[in-house]
Structure formats: structure tokens, C-alpha cells
Amino acid sequence: MVDLKKRALALAGMAGMMTLGGFLASCTTPQKSTTSPAGTIHASGKLPPAAPREFRAAWVSTVANIDWPSRQNLKAPQQQAEAIAILDRAKAMGLNAIVLQVRPSADAIYASSIEPWSEYLTGTQGQAPQPWYDPLKFWVTEAHARGLELHAWFNPYRARHDGARSPAAANHITRTNPAAVKRYGKFMWMDPGEDAASKQTLDVVLDVVRRYDIDGVHIDDYFYPYPIEAATTVAGNEAALEGKPGVKAELDFPDTPAWERYLARGGKLDRASWRRQNVNELIKDMYEGIHREKSWVRFGISPFGLGRPDRRPPSIAGFSQYDKLYADAELWLQKGWLDYFTPQLYWARSQSAQAYDVLLDYWIGQNTQGRHLWPGLFTSRIGAPTKDYPPQEIVDQIESTRARPQAGGHVHFSMIALMQNRKGITDQLSSGAYATPALVPATPWLGNVKPGLPRVKAVRTGKGVDLKLTAGKANALYTVWSRHGEEWRFNVVPASKVDWKLEDDVRLGAPDAVFVGAVDRLGIEGDRIQVWGKP
């Protein structure tokens, strides 16, 4: 980022103590820098280099208790302890965001007046956790206290599965508006062609945006359901993920009432195009509605990883979400109806028909609006009973993504693999790819005003520098830089922190200088201030 913009020295009569009037460093042209395996950044010059930027996230699934809570009917303190363990692990290993599933099946892991409490919390749909608390509010508060973003993940249409352990609550959509829900195999599915179904999803999302201090809204790949055979015991998404061709004698989604009403109104689209239009309208409405409520809340979509058959590279083969899920992901990108795009690239780099690198390049080519591209990685393949990944596959996918400047991050599916440290993947990432913290990439199309300057007092005490921090306007995070010759240490500190101790580096000793900057909710970084220097 940075050319020296202005310099103002204000020594307050105390050696080793500088405040706001120290060196004000704003860089527009980043210094060239490299990151060492030890986590230091090598850069010449007296000013900090550009901050490392990368979205490093993990999905936390609540459906079927995959990630959290570990089982149904845990008491609230146990649920909270498990959430804290996940957030502590995320922070310690170098992640900067969590994508938490808050609506697995037209239900809620938060207090809602629209949909019932999820059975994955208590074992009974409609029953609140005991003692009562609001899990989403808890997650947001604790994530932000650690400098982590919290993105709320919604399933847009799935309503219920036959494997549910408790009956539908009285305020579940299958009971309040059964005409808006259709049975499809073992699922109950909100019909995208029914206005009431789409309205409920939009209302749910905007309600959360209004009431919770989330950083992003995230939806997954379940639009129209994955197709199944007329009689099958295999979920359609499993067949798609395995790269199998379409199932035989597919069971069509039973949306005839809505389709016939469309035709009666003079609709001209064919049925497949009409279905895609139903989904497109919800995507557009969500994007616009979210930003009307809060301009800084980003909207992300995580679709199936294969593109349209008529556009994908010749070497790529497999399931078509365009034709089967009626998901026109390319259109959403090209219309700019999202802020970040997380295609689920759940195959190895060597799997030629669904090769990771080829698919990533394809989606980069479709991203004509320059939105964030942060692919999803199937980290839970590590240690899986079948199609096991070695940890190096994930490490290599991260490096391959980093080699493409148009792709600025990634999301792990799912957190359980990182909590279990399967085959040492968490340790490997912590000491390698994530050795240096990173800021989430900025989103300037939603706002590009620099945050205000923090006020900082710095005092040398013992083997470190104590910082007293006061947030300026729109400060969400602080960046703290310490210079040791031509090596820099970088830290990210929540703006809620008042006191922060910058310990001397074990190898490099005391810093020559310390700089502090601020970052807002959109990742926009302000000017840096030199707050301490060797006398």
C-alpha cells in the first residue's frame, strides 16, 4: 500500500514514548517483501510493507452436529465451551474468519420470531438451549473479541429431512405454510417457485443482518435439490461429488402448481429457465437487501465447483449445477450479485476431470466484476475412510491459490478436521502457510473511506513494549508492526483491546520501531503511526 504521505514528529517530552503525532505512514505503493518460514516479513526501508492479505476461514456445520455442538441436548455452558475451543483454535492457527451455519433446515441456532430453534441444539425443534442464551450472539461476540470475522451461513431452501429426531415445531414452515414446501425423496424442500418460500428465506436473512453484528451472509449450494432417482437411497449430492453422470430416471421436482401459475400469467420461459430465474431473483434480492440494511456486511455464495457444461474447459467433466440445481453461478458473478465467491473445489489437483487448478482458473475467468474469489477446500478428506487426502494436498491447493493474485483466500470444509488436527494438518498450516497473520482482503466496492487514526501510547517495559490503544472512527482491528533491521513482525489486534503487550522477539530481540494502524469492517486500512522507536 504505502508511500510516505505525511510525517509529523511529536515527542511528548518522554524518551521512548510517542503518541498520535509520531510518524504517520500511509503507503500507496507497497514495498517489495517476502515472508520467512519463521513468520517474519523481509522488507527494506523504514516503513512497514503492505499488510499480508488472505481470507482464511473454516465452515462450522451445525447440521447433523458435524462441527458444533458435538451432540444434541448439551447444556448451554457445554455448548459455549465447545464454541470457545473452536474460536481459540481458529485464532491460534492463523485463521481470520469463521463461517457458522445458523439455518440448517428452515430453523435457527439463534432466537428467531420467524423460524423455530434447531433440534441440533437441544434435540427438540422449537426448544431453546438451557440455561437460555442466544448462540449466534455468543459466537459473534467471542469471534470479534479474538479479531475473527463471523459470517452467518444459511441454507436457502432445505426445510427438513426424514432423519430428523423430533417432530416439526408448530412455527416450522412445513406446518405454517405447507403449500410452499414440497417433498423430494427424503427431504422436505422449500419450493423456489413459491413466492412465500423465497420471501421467508429473504426475511430470515435480513432479520439476522438487522439484529446481529455479523460480518457476512453466506449461502451454500442447495438451491433446487440435487437430483435423485425415482427410487434411491443415495443422496444426489454424493453422486455429483463423485463425478458420476446424471442418475437414471430422475425424480423431477414437484413444482407443477407454481409452474402452471407462471404460465397462466403469460410466462414465456421454458421450465428450466424459469427455475433458474426463481433462484436468480432471490440472489439479487438478498444482495441488494443486505446492503440496504448494512453496507459493510458482505454477501458470499458457495456453489458446487463445476461450471456450465457449455463453458467449462474441455478436460472438465461431471455434474451440471446449471442444469440440475438451476444455479447460474456464472451469471451471479458477472452481474456482481455477491461480494465473494467460494466454489466448492472438492477434488485433488491430480484428478484430471475435476482438477483443482483448472477449475480455479475457470472461475477466475468468469469473475469479470472482480469480486473476491475464495475457493472451498475439502480438508475433511484428510483421514476419511475413502478417497483420503494427504495433508500435503491441502497445503498444495493453498499454494496454488496463492499463485493466482485474482484468488485471495480459501475456506476449509470443515472445522472438525482442524480441531482433530488430522494427520498434523493444523500444525502444518500453523507453522507454514499461516505463520504470519493476514488481514481479510478489502472490499472497496462497498466503501473506500479510510478509518480514523487510533490514539496510541507506547512505553518500553521489561522485555517488551506496552501499548495503550484508543480506537478512532470505524476502527475494527489494529495492525501492529515491529521492525527489527530489515525484518518485520506483524500482528492483528481487535479494536476492543485497550492494552496490548508487544513482547520482544525471541530471536530478534527488541524492535527498532513499532507502528500501529487501523482497519475498518470492509478491510480498508488507514494510515500507520510510528508509536515507538529506540532512543
Side-chain angles (χ1 to χ4, degrees):
M1 287 172 214
V2 290
D3 279 330
L4 184 60
K5 192 175 184 182
K6 72 172 155 174
R7 185 179 295 229
L9 181 62
L11 296 174
M14 296 179 63
M17 181 173 180
M18 294 186 183
T19 59
L20 178 63
F23 291 109
L24 179 59
S26 171
C27 306
T28 55
T29 304
Q31 303 176 50
K32 290 184 177 180
S33 62
T34 58
T35 302
S36 74
T40 58
I41 300 171
H42 293 264
S44 59
K46 301 296 185 182
L47 298 176
R53 296 272 185 171
E54 185 174 56
F55 191 70
R56 302 174 183 167
W59 280 289
V60 174
S61 298
T62 56
V63 66
N65 301 98
I66 292 173
D67 292 296
W68 180 86
S70 61
R71 59 183 175 85
Q72 298 175 16
N73 207 27
L74 292 178
K75 295 297 185 184
Q78 294 171 287
Q79 293 180 6
Q80 292 171 354
E82 290 185 353
I84 291 296
I86 288 172
L87 293 167
D88 283 346
R89 172 63 59 88
K91 180 65 175 178
M93 70 173 291
L95 300 182
N96 51 30
I98 288 293
V99 183
L100 175 68
Q101 190 174 32
V102 301
R103 189 205 196 206
S105 299
D107 51 5
I109 64 122
Y110 57 93
S112 171
S113 62
I114 304 173
E115 295 185 324
W117 287 100
S118 174
E119 75 165 29
Y120 300 119
L121 291 173
T122 63
T124 301
Q125 190 175 85
Q127 181 175 306
Q130 295 298 323
W132 193 97
Y133 81 111
D134 189 319
L136 179 53
K137 183 177 180 181
F138 181 86
W139 274 89
V140 169
T141 300
E142 294 296 333
H144 288 173
R146 291 160 176 77
L148 299 169
E149 291 192 352
L150 196 290
H151 293 231
W153 163 21
F154 300 80
N155 187 286
Y157 294 112
R158 185 174 59 209
R160 195 162 170 80
H161 187 272
D162 284 354
R165 297 184 181 182
S166 65
N171 60 336
H172 190 260
I173 191 171
T174 55
R175 297 183 64 183
T176 60
N177 193 351
V181 182
K182 304 296 188 294
R183 171 165 289 281
Y184 189 76
K186 295 183 177 181
F187 288 100
M188 297 299 290
W189 209 266
M190 295 172 66
D191 183 350
E194 295 287 349
D195 291 343
S198 296
K199 182 181 184 301
Q200 176 148 327
T201 292
L202 183 61
D203 288 348
V204 163
V205 168
L206 297 184
D207 174 59
V208 169
V209 172
R210 291 183 195 107
R211 294 195 295 120
Y212 295 90
D213 193 24
I214 59 174
D215 299 284
V217 167
H218 184 101
I219 62 172
D220 56 28
D221 54 316
Y222 289 93
F223 299 104
Y224 280 80
Y226 282 86
I228 60 173
E229 293 182 28
T232 183
T233 57
V234 178
N237 59 318
E238 294 179 21
L241 190 60
E242 296 300 324
K244 296 177 181 177
V247 296
K248 299 177 180 178
E250 288 180 2
L251 180 66
D252 196 27
F253 186 72
D255 56 2
T256 298
W259 167 242
E260 290 181 345
R261 289 198 304 272
Y262 168 75
L263 294 177
R265 294 194 303 266
K268 302 299 184 184
L269 296 175
D270 61 70
R271 197 162 185 169
S273 299
W274 168 74
R275 285 173 172 173
R276 280 187 287 272
Q277 178 179 265
N278 294 333
V279 177
N280 293 341
E281 288 175 349
L282 178 62
I283 298 297
K284 183 174 183 288
D285 289 347
M286 288 176 70
Y287 185 71
E288 293 176 349
I290 289 163
H291 294 131
R292 275 196 303 269
E293 294 295 335
K294 292 179 180 176
S295 60
W296 64 89
V297 174
R298 284 144 293 157
F299 178 42
I301 305 177
S302 176
F304 191 76
L306 302 186
R308 290 176 52 161
D310 60 343
R311 297 188 187 180
R312 62 177 62 158
S315 62
I316 297 299
F319 181 78
S320 171
Q321 63 177 329
Y322 178 81
D323 295 298
K324 301 299 183 181
L325 307 183
Y326 306 98
D328 195 347
E330 287 87 348
L331 179 72
W332 309 334
L333 268 175
Q334 290 156 12
K335 291 289 188 181
W337 291 341
L338 48 81
D339 299 306
Y340 68 92
F341 189 73
T342 301
Q344 297 173 20
L345 304 188
Y346 286 176
W347 305 276
R349 298 179 71 208
S350 61
Q351 189 167 324
S352 58
Q354 297 89 29
Y356 180 91
D357 293 16
V358 177
L359 291 171
L360 182 54
D361 287 336
Y362 169 77
W363 289 115
I364 288 171
Q366 297 298 310
N367 186 18
T368 55
Q369 293 279 355
R371 296 310 200 223
H372 295 305
L373 183 57
W374 303 328
L377 315 180
F378 204 170
T379 308
S380 288
R381 281 272 198 220
I382 298 171
T386 60
K387 296 187 179 294
D388 177 20
Y389 274 180
Q392 193 62 40
E393 176 65 39
I394 296 300
V395 173
D396 289 346
Q397 289 182 3
I398 291 172
E399 290 306 313
S400 181
T401 305
R402 287 177 172 179
R404 293 157 168 81
Q406 307 95 325
H410 50 271
V411 185
H412 296 276
F413 187 85
S414 67
M415 192 67 198
I416 191 171
L418 302 175
M419 293 300 291
Q420 294 174 349
N421 193 20
R422 292 184 187 173
K423 297 187 178 181
I425 182 60
T426 305
D427 294 338
Q428 196 168 343
L429 292 173
S430 299
S431 61
Y434 299 162
T436 298
L439 297 176
V440 171
T443 308
W445 56 88
L446 296 182
N448 200 18
V449 178
K450 285 184 179 181
L453 294 169
R455 295 194 304 276
V456 187
K457 292 184 178 181
V459 180
R460 177 78 187 170
T461 57
K463 293 186 177 182
V465 176
D466 287 346
L467 303 180
K468 180 76 71 173
L469 302 155
T470 303
K473 183 179 179 181
N475 289 186
L477 299 169
Y478 302 121
T479 57
V480 180
W481 294 88
S482 53
R483 178 167 57 80
H484 304 262
E486 292 192 353
E487 292 189 62
W488 292 86
R489 283 282 183 189
F490 177 64
N491 288 281
V492 179
V493 180
S496 58
K497 294 287 187 183
V498 175
D499 297 296
W500 181 263
K501 187 172 186 66
L502 187 64
E503 302 281 356
D504 290 351
D505 189 86
V506 174
R507 177 174 62 89
L508 302 170
D512 303 321
V514 176
F515 293 78
V516 176
V519 182
D520 71 7
R521 296 292 293 270
L522 289 172
I524 306 299
E525 187 178 12
D527 298 317
R528 286 91 171 265
I529 312 155
Q530 185 175 343
V531 300
W532 188 84
K534 280 185 176 178

